[in-house]
């Protein structure tokens, strides 16, 4: 007996299960993701060395061969709790994010015509307990949702320096119907 019917009436368990969706698997038993990365998105876990004095985070080493383009520019930005920064897109450069502090969902949408992952959304959860560097290719819309309770701190190493006279940044509102993703009612746009 599965507990769904008792004495001719539906139990609370049966009533709730009849309306429930089974959770979909997202990782294999070895912890590798089932979903394929968006074409051109690369990620690499970053070594963090901890001892009684504190920690050292290795942010980038060209010997890793992470990205063929050199580091030419770096800036830090923050995202306040509950805020979504985005949607943004670059035509001329890739972004390379490293989250230093906080909790952020980096959501990407592949709008590139002819890409093997065109029209797909990918969400990467970034946090300070499992740091990584993430490459966001040109022509991929992306947004940063701080789902934590403290300000998130992110470094970006774009493949080109910022051009103040001709910014390579295109924006859409977070609730655009053009991107199939909902940040939920508690998310605030900035």
């Amino acid at each position: 007996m599965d507990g769904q019917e008792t004495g001719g009436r539906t139990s609370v368990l049966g009533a709730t299960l009849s309306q429930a969706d089974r959770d979909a698997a997202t990782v294999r038993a070895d912890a590798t993701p089932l979903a394929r990365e968006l074409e051109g998105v690369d990620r690499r876990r970053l070594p963090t060395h901890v001892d009684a004095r504190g920690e050292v985070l290795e942010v980038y080493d060209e010997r890793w061969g992470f990205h063929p383009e050199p580091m030419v520019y770096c800036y830090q930005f923050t995202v306040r709790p509950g805020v979504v920064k985005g949607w943004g897109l670059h035509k001329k450069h890739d972004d390379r994010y490293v989250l230093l502090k906080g909790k952020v969902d980096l959501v990407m949408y592949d709008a590139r015509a002819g890409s093997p992952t065109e029209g797909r959304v990918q969400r990467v959860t970034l946090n300070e307990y499992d740091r990584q560097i993430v490459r966001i290719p040109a022509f991929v819309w992306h947004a940063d949702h701080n789902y934590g309770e403290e300000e998130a701190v992110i470094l970006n190493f774009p493949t080109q320096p910022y051009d103040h006279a001709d910014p390579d940044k295109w924006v859409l509102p977070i609730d655009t119907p053009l991107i199939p993703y909902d940040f939920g009612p508690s998310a605030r746009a900035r």
Side-chain angles (χ1 to χ4, degrees), residues 51-65:
D51 65 22
R53 301 166 297 165
E55 67 180 44
V56 172
L57 170 66
E58 294 182 37
V59 175
Y60 184 80
D61 186 329
E62 69 179 21
R63 295 171 295 184
W64 296 339

Side-chain angles (χ1 to χ4, degrees), residues 63-102:
R63 295 171 295 184
W64 296 339
F66 176 73
H67 194 278
E69 294 190 42
M71 293 290 190
V72 294
Y73 182 68
C74 179
Y75 65 89
Q76 172 191 298
F77 68 95
T78 65
V79 184
R80 298 201 191 285
V83 170
V84 177
K85 279 190 174 180
W87 294 99
L89 176 140
H90 310 292
K91 294 181 179 182
K92 300 175 186 173
H93 75 266
D94 295 354
D95 281 335
R96 296 174 285 198
Y97 279 12
V98 174
L99 180 126
L100 296 178
K101 187 124 184 90

Side-chain angles (χ1 to χ4, degrees), residues 28-186:
R28 294 178 185 86
D30 67 358
T32 58
L34 286 171
R36 189 171 144 217
E37 300 272 358
L38 293 182
E39 184 69 26
V41 171
D42 295 315
R43 294 193 283 163
R44 184 187 196 288
R45 294 237 175 332
L46 299 176
T48 302
H49 310 282
V50 180
D51 65 22
R53 301 166 297 165
E55 67 180 44
V56 172
L57 170 66
E58 294 182 37
V59 175
Y60 184 80
D61 186 329
E62 69 179 21
R63 295 171 295 184
W64 296 339
F66 176 73
H67 194 278
E69 294 190 42
M71 293 290 190
V72 294
Y73 182 68
C74 179
Y75 65 89
Q76 172 191 298
F77 68 95
T78 65
V79 184
R80 298 201 191 285
V83 170
V84 177
K85 279 190 174 180
W87 294 99
L89 176 140
H90 310 292
K91 294 181 179 182
K92 300 175 186 173
H93 75 266
D94 295 354
D95 281 335
R96 296 174 285 198
Y97 279 12
V98 174
L99 180 126
L100 296 178
K101 187 124 184 90
K103 299 175 181 177
V104 168
D105 278 337
L106 167 60
V107 183
M108 298 170 282
Y109 177 66
D110 190 350
R112 298 169 293 174
S115 166
T117 54
E118 179 182 1
R120 282 208 28 232
V121 170
Q122 180 180 354
R123 184 181 62 155
V124 175
T125 299
L126 303 173
N127 65 67
E128 60 197 85
Y129 305 108
D130 185 19
R131 293 187 180 117
Q132 53 190 301
I133 186 168
V134 181
R135 173 185 169 218
I136 306 163
F139 294 99
V140 169
W141 290 100
H142 52 286
D144 311 298
H145 179 202
N146 181 343
Y147 66 90
E149 297 177 7
E150 64 181 355
E151 190 167 54
V153 179
I154 301 168
L155 292 178
N156 187 13
F157 300 90
T159 55
Q160 291 183 355
Y162 185 77
D163 184 346
H164 293 82
D166 185 22
D168 178 29
K169 185 164 184 179
W170 310 89
V171 297
L172 285 171
I174 67 165
D175 60 352
T176 179
L178 300 171
I179 297 176
Y181 191 83
D182 182 4
F183 291 97
S186 64

